[in-house]
Amino acid sequence: MKKTTLADFQFPDTSDIERQVLSDAVFNADLFPDMMQLITPDMFFNESARKTWEMMEQMYNRGEVIDAASLMGRMGKEFGNLVFSESIVPGASFSVLQHVSVLRDAAAKRNAYWFAIKLLETSVKPETTEDALAMILEPAGEEIKLPTLKQKK
């Protein structure tokens, strides 16, 4: 029987769903306020995607139009040549809210992955005690930082 190793656990790749959620936000601007209630910038692992989402939130909060033309103009000016400039395209088989749900799930999995790595790093140290491990495991739900809904203002 093959033993499981760390190499058997791939880091959750969220790049495709991050691009899709950004695309959804651009091409379904009427749903952007609802999306803002469900998504926080830290759900985006890719820094460019996170900055793009933050910029879109700022544009929305200033009452600016979020569309492909204004976003491309801003992205070029403020962030240079981002990978996502060529990737944002309309159309998908899922609904916008399904994409948001997939992104939230992926963010929770990624946070759990990092928590597991932290636990493993601690558990292999010779000086680690049972009490030290218990202290890490006890607040696991908070440590993993599962996505929560934003409070409406």
Side-chain angles (χ1 to χ4, degrees), residues 15-16 90 97 101 119 131 133 138 141:
S15 56
D16 288 342
L97 292 179
S101 178
L119 179 61
D131 289 341
L133 288 173
E138 191 173 310

Side-chain angles (χ1 to χ4, degrees), residues 39-146:
I39 297 173
T40 58
D42 64 344
M43 291 180 186
F44 293 93
F45 181 71
N46 181 287
E47 186 177 350
S48 296
R50 188 171 40 257
K51 286 181 179 179
T52 301
W53 181 260
E54 289 170 341
M55 181 184 53
M56 292 169 74
E57 285 184 325
Q58 291 168 5
M59 290 171 67
Y60 176 82
N61 290 332
R62 288 191 299 253
E64 298 174 13
V65 174
I66 299 172
D67 60 15
S70 60
L71 184 61
M72 295 302 173
R74 292 261 180 175
M75 289 170 69
K77 178 181 175 187
E78 295 181 20
F79 301 115
N81 187 18
L82 292 178
V83 174
F84 296 104
S85 296
E86 298 172 6
S87 301
I88 298 178
V89 291
S93 58
F94 279 1
S95 74
V96 171
L97 292 179
Q98 285 171 316
H99 291 145
V100 169
S101 178
V102 171
L103 177 67
R104 291 173 56 83
D105 289 346
K109 289 175 185 176
R110 190 176 55 246
N111 289 338
Y113 185 94
W114 287 120
F115 176 81
I117 295 293
K118 178 181 174 183
L119 179 61
L120 286 171
E121 287 175 338
T122 303
S123 67
V124 297
K125 292 178 183 175
E127 67 273 12
T128 299
T129 64
E130 179 182 356
D131 289 341
L133 288 173
M135 288 177 60
I136 292 173
L137 292 171
E138 191 173 310
E142 292 176 25
E143 185 75 24
I144 293 174
K145 296 181 184 171
L146 297 175

Side-chain angles (χ1 to χ4, degrees), residues 8-28:
D8 294 319
F9 298 97
Q10 294 183 0
F11 186 77
D13 180 10
T14 57
S15 56
D16 288 342
I17 194 63
E18 290 179 18
R19 283 193 300 274
Q20 185 59 55
V21 166
L22 292 173
S23 174
D24 290 342
V26 171
F27 295 103
N28 299 282

